Amino acid sequence: MKIIFAGTPEFAASALAALIETDHEIVAVYTQPDRKSGRGQKLTASAVKQLALANNLPVYQPLHFKASTDEGLAAQQELAALGADVMVVAAYGLILPQAVLDTPRYGCLNIHGSLLPRWRGAAPIQRAIATGDTETGVTIMKMAAGLDTGDMIFKTVCPITAEETSATLYDKLAIQGAEAICVVLESEQKLQQYLDAREVQDEQFTVYAHKLTKAEAQIDWTKSAVELDRNIRAFNPWPVAFTPIDESNNLRVWNSQISDLIANGEAPGTIIEMNKQGVHVVCGDGVICLTSLQWPGGKAINPVQIIQSHKLSVGNIFA
């Protein structure tokens, strides 16, 4: 089949790499325009673009597909001229109007990192961890105009462990997504069978995974240790949980676990122990153990390095 691929980050690049290894013809790769990144703010190509160029695939980077502008209409016409059988979309980041969704012969298939209809939206991996879900997965769906509302074609399941961060779960789901789309696109006949058997999402089970903000990553020590541990792991690698250490600086908290210590009436935010497990801090309910910290201008360090730094002491209270 002739495939258009649309995606931007590493999650999408995993799926593109898998499709490159198949017998399908990838006629075009769509990805977001290059963005400035790093301290030097240099224009950087997305992971998908870098992979596409390395495999001599044509790359398209329209700003949008809005029919209300000449630029958007031109992008729609350019895509239609490719004559694709199907378009595979994974974390692309641009809204596709109905005209684009209807262009490929079999429509557009999306690789979504949750078990739909739970966790529609921008941050399904992070919200699943923060909420305490014990499993998630990947859903391949036939895209519709709404936000992740399309009919479901194929699902995989992935357990969420107590040590899972968004970074580790992201990697697992990227692999599952790549495998899943290859199953669905094994052949034109298989694709048609999956499309014929697709399942409408049950709206009563819909949960939205709203976009993350930096502000919600600030640790509120009055919350329970369980909730804070989930948030810390959910916000790794972005936006990274933090607690203020003075008026202009924050201590970043990269990882944690539930402590087996018991508070003895100390105020939330109080450090009651520092050992090889980490920094044990009293919460509104229970005690959390911080296992990876980063001071401004430094790198993330482990419990032994934290003790050696002499920057924290038992009795210190985080705001």
Side-chain angles (χ1 to χ4, degrees), residues 6-164:
T8 300
E10 288 288 350
F11 181 89
S14 295
L16 176 58
L19 289 172
I20 288 171
E21 296 301 315
T22 68
D23 293 331
H24 300 302
E25 179 189 358
I26 300 174
V27 296
V29 173
Y30 279 75
T31 191
Q32 289 247 6
D34 298 357
R35 306 291 189 197
K36 292 181 179 179
S37 66
R39 292 186 178 180
Q41 288 294 286
K42 294 181 180 179
L43 278 177
T44 304
S46 71
V48 163
K49 180 178 179 178
Q50 292 178 45
L51 179 61
L53 293 178
N55 286 273
N56 299 312
L57 298 174
V59 175
Y60 297 79
Q61 295 177 278
L63 293 175
H64 58 78
F65 291 94
K66 296 176 182 176
S68 57
T69 69
D70 291 341
E71 185 179 44
L73 275 175
Q76 288 189 22
Q77 293 165 359
E78 190 174 49
L79 188 146
L82 294 167
D85 294 308
V86 65
M87 183 169 175
V88 174
V89 182
Y92 180 27
L94 288 187
I95 295 174
L96 301 181
Q98 193 65 50
V100 171
L101 299 180
D102 293 339
T103 294
R105 190 153 61 97
Y106 291 105
C108 298
L109 306 183
N110 180 244
I111 306 171
H112 185 76
S114 82
L115 297 174
L116 291 172
R118 185 170 179 79
W119 301 128
R120 292 177 180 173
I125 295 173
Q126 297 91 335
R127 297 303 180 192
I129 293 175
T131 306
D133 290 1
T134 58
E135 67 176 19
T136 185
V138 166
T139 303
I140 307 295
M141 66 174 167
K142 189 174 191 297
M143 294 178 69
L147 179 63
D148 299 327
T149 57
D151 294 349
M152 301 176 294
I153 296 172
F154 186 80
K155 286 185 178 182
T156 68
V157 176
C158 180
I160 301 177
T161 70
E163 297 79 32
E164 207 82 72

Side-chain angles (χ1 to χ4, degrees), residues 245-246 248-252 294-299 311:
I245 49 178
D246 57 43
S248 56
N249 291 295
N250 297 319
L251 176 64
R252 304 177 92 189
Q294 181 183 13
W295 274 267
K299 297 180 179 180
K311 291 183 177 181

Side-chain angles (χ1 to χ4, degrees), residues 203-221:
E203 293 295 331
Q204 68 175 320
F205 297 115
T206 297
V207 181
Y208 283 96
H210 297 288
K211 188 176 181 179
L212 298 176
T213 66
K214 290 185 178 180
E216 67 181 306
Q218 180 169 348
I219 296 173
D220 178 357
W221 297 104

